[in-house]
């Protein structure tokens, strides 16, 4: 509210025209901000550092690159450009003088990562006590930049800002399908840092290359030691700590499926390591002692979630006598003990331990409990309180709701992120790991930036973040869209999910996308989706049109266009869900009309041609899956390695073949009609009766 009042007061009191006072879209929102008149960049800009620190020079270079990307001339030094941006450590005389002039202080809470931006005539001074604080101030300056080329301007603003949570991260699944290229991971790092995230956590079950266990990683799908070292070094420049997660208890099927490792599993070729099995801790130590040589830093994530098989195999008798909670927590403590020589803080997922609060107090206090759940709940206290009461550090892990979905369910994601982070801050959690998962191997990361950015905002901003404010800012902040069309397209896709929920169907799963509408399950789903089907199509198509309008209005200045392509791909997939059930119904009705017409007149009229022909419904479905296959492959290759791609593309090929075979069956029926004056029944052709 204070931020909004500051903007309102500025508009009322300033002599600058209202059109020039439209405030920029800032994600995250700074804690304290007062806008001044914008500065024209027609004469260029100079970015200088007060001091010779290498990290500060990197922040300045990165800011210069952002100006150049927007077509702004960057001068070589102060006084050579129309506007000067100075980056200065708080201890430097230039920073102290600017702070005194503006009557601004850097509070103790601002020490680690906070910053101030101080405007004067023709210049901005960015002040931070640390390299990280100065870097984040520079990221905000980027968002104060509006327009491109000669029309570019820099919004002058007085800002004091610092984060609510110490660790603000994103956790990315690299083990169930897509494995990103190193170049895309670098883009992720740059983008995370631009919105003030400071942790990147790649998730490994079996896709990290281990010299001690070379069988585990799949050919073409392994992250190598050299790639890890390059990524860690790259992330360090952006003040991002890479915290690897290697599953160390459950989620290890792609290890245990090998005969070499199967004896270590709770069940044969299962998913969970067996506590008490001698080789289990040996394997864990081998993996994590290698991780220690690759990933410097304070933290390592050991996973330990969803150990569903525990007690069903090797530990069955022990679980019966001691209880599943005791067996689970004992092995968790054993892992901590085995890895203690690494001198790291170990993160673990809290989903199992939280159900045994009386035993949580037996865990080592140095463990960090990461509570996770992805539903849009009103309260998340129960996921954190058992660990807080046991004196343990807690982090929260909401999610972008992208897994198993034709397009991320941002209806759920935004509420989940807002409420979980809010409750975590209230209960003393010091970190957030927003999560994406690739459960069925089909997820496209470029579709998740909406949830990524809102998570970044929620973790930086104190208290409950505003979904409405974010939805009004995303398009401008991330894509540079001043038309509002990108924001409205995202709202349409959110409404798509809301309408599906109101129809009591659940979620836009990939299962729904691939479901054959003429299968037994498909016919039942068709009955449920029919009342909402046409409206679902309209929402998806309106989103596609809005994205096209945004591109048309700003063909040269829109940013993150790969992500816009990914949003459009998602909208087209959602549209195909509706089209598939819609056209399946139409084909059944057309064929029934054809049968009746043949019986009455001996001719099928246009009915069969509308089913299969140059513009037949079955050809429409064939074409839709074929076109989306190509779009999906392009989206995949923009971010991922070829590994696993064909496992998904094969589904598009099968769906295309399905509708080709059905078109062929109806074409054969048309041929038979011409020869015999008789038309096979719908059942003989494979078409269900109209519903």
């Amino acid at each position: 509210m204070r931020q909004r009042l500051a903007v309102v007061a500025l508009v009322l009191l300033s002599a600058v025209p209202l059109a020039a006072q439209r405030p920029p879209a800032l994600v995250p929102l700074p804690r304290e901000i007062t806008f001044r008149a914008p500065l024209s960049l027609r004469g260029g800009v100079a970015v200088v550092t007060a001091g010779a620190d290498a990290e500060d020079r990197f922040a300045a270079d990165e800011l210069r690159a952002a100006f150049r990307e927007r077509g702004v001339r960057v001068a070589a030094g102060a006084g050579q450009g129309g506007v000067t941006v100075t980056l200065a450590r708080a201890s430097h005389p230039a920073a102290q003088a600017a702070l005194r002039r503006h009557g601004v202080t850097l509070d103790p809470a601002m020490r680690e990562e906070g910053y101030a931006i101080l405007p004067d005539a023709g210049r901005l001074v960015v002040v931070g006590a640390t390299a990280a604080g100065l870097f984040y101030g520079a990221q905000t300056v980027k968002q104060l930049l509006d327009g491109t080329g000669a029309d570019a301007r820099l919004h002058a603003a007085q800002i004091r800002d610092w984060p609510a949570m110490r660790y603000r991260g994103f956790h990315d699944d690299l083990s169930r399908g897509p494995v990103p290229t190193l170049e895309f991971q670098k883009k992720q790092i740059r983008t995370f840092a631009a919105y003030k995230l400071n942790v990147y956590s790649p998730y490994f079950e079996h896709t990290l290359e281990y010299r001690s266990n070379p069988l585990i990683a799949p050919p073409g799908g392994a992250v190598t030691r050299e790639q890890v070292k390059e990524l860690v070094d790259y992330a360090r420049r952006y003040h991002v700590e890479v915290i690897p997660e290697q599953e160390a208890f459950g989620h290890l099927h792609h290890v245990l499926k090998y005969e070499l490792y199967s004896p270590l599993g709770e069940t044969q070729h299962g998913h969970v390591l067996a506590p008490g099995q001698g080789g289990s801790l040996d394997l864990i130590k081998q993996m994590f002692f290698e991780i220690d040589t690759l990933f410097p830093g304070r933290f390592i994530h050991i996973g330990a979630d969803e150990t569903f098989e525990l007690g069903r195999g090797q530990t069955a008798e022990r679980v019966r006598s001691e209880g599943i909670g005791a067996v689970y927590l004992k092995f968790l403590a054993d892992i901590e003990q085995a890895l203690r020589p690494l001198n790291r803080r170990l993160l673990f997922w809290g989903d199992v331990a939280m159900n045994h609060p009386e035993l949580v107090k037996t865990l080592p206090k140095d463990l960090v409990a990461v509570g996770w759940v992805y539903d849009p709940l009103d309260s998340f206290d129960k996921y954190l309180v058992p660990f807080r009461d046991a004196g343990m550090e807690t982090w929260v892990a909401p999610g972008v709701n992208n897994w198993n979905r034709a397009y991320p369910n941002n209806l759920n994601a935004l509420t989940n992120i807002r409420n979980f982070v809010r409750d975590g801050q209230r209960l003393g959690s010091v970190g957030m790991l927003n999560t994406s998962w690739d459960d069925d191997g089909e997820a496209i990361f470029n579709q998740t930036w909406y949830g990524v950015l809102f998570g970044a905002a929620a973790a930086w901003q104190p208290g409950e973040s505003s979904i409405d404010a974010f939805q009004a800012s995303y398009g401008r902040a991330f894509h540079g869209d001043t038309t509002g069309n990108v924001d409205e397209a995202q709202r349409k896709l959110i409404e798509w999910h809301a309408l599906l929920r109101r129809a009591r169907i659940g979620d836009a799963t990939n299962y729904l996308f691939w479901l054959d509408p003429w299968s037994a399950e498909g016919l039942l789903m068709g009955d449920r989706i029919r009342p909402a089907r046409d409206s679902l199509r309209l929402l998806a198509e309106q989103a596609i049109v809005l994205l096209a309008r945004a591109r048309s209005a700003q063909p040269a200045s829109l940013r993150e266009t790969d992500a816009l392509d990914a949003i459009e791909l998602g909208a087209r997939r959602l549209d195909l869900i509706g089209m598939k059930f819609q056209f399946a119904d139409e084909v059944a009705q057309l064929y029934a009309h054809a049968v009746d017409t043949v019986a009455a007149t001996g001719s099928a009229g246009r009915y069969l041609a509308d089913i299969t022909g140059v513009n037949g419904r079955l050809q429409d479905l064939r074409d839709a899956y074929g076109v989306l296959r190509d779009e999906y492959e392009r989206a995949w290759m923009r971010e991922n390695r070829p590994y696993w791609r064909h496992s998904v593309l094969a589904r598009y090929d099968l769906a295309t073949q399905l509708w080709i075979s059905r078109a062929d069956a109806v074409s054969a029926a048309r041929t038979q009609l011409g020869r015999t004056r008789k038309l096979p029944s719908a059942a003989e052709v494979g078409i269900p009766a109209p519903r």
Side-chain angles (χ1 to χ4, degrees), residues 270-395:
H271 302 79
V272 177
L273 284 176
Q277 224 294 344
S280 293
L281 280 176
D282 290 338
L283 176 62
I284 290 169
K285 287 192 287 187
Q286 288 166 8
M287 292 192 296
F288 282 89
F289 276 70
E290 270 196 66
I291 284 173
D292 185 56
T293 68
L294 292 171
F295 295 92
R298 294 156 289 185
F299 301 98
I300 296 175
H301 199 319
I302 62 173
D305 59 314
E306 296 186 327
T307 53
F308 300 125
E309 293 174 357
L310 192 61
R312 290 173 49 196
Q314 294 196 49
T315 63
E317 184 56 40
R318 186 176 161 198
V319 166
R320 276 194 294 270
S321 62
E322 299 178 27
I324 196 165
V327 174
Y328 171 87
L329 289 163
K330 174 62 167 62
F331 191 56
L332 191 60
D334 289 345
I335 295 171
E336 190 275 341
Q337 179 67 33
L339 301 183
R340 193 167 291 179
L342 302 180
N343 195 30
R344 301 289 195 98
R345 299 289 305 279
L346 302 181
L347 284 71
F348 74 98
W349 299 117
D351 58 307
V352 180
M354 62 171 275
N355 294 315
H356 307 278
E358 73 286 356
L359 298 174
V360 167
K361 295 177 182 179
T362 67
L363 287 172
K365 296 296 183 288
D366 253 6
L367 286 172
V368 179
V370 185
W372 68 269
V373 67
Y374 308 126
D375 298 323
L377 306 178
D378 293 328
S379 172
F380 292 82
D381 289 21
K382 72 176 185 178
Y383 298 93
L384 301 170
V385 167
F387 305 107
R388 184 204 62 178
D389 290 351
M392 299 174 68
E393 182 175 308
T394 62
W395 293 19

Side-chain angles (χ1 to χ4, degrees), residues 107 138 220 231 272 302 399 434 506 518 535 543:
D107 297 339
L231 183 67
V272 177
I302 62 173
N434 198 5
W518 288 344
S535 297

Side-chain angles (χ1 to χ4, degrees), residues 13 66 101 181 281 286 355 405 420 458 476 568 593 610:
L13 297 175
R101 279 198 309 275
T181 63
L281 280 176
Q286 288 166 8
N355 294 315
R405 289 168 171 84
F420 205 172
R476 289 178 64 201
E568 181 177 336
H593 290 320
D610 285 343

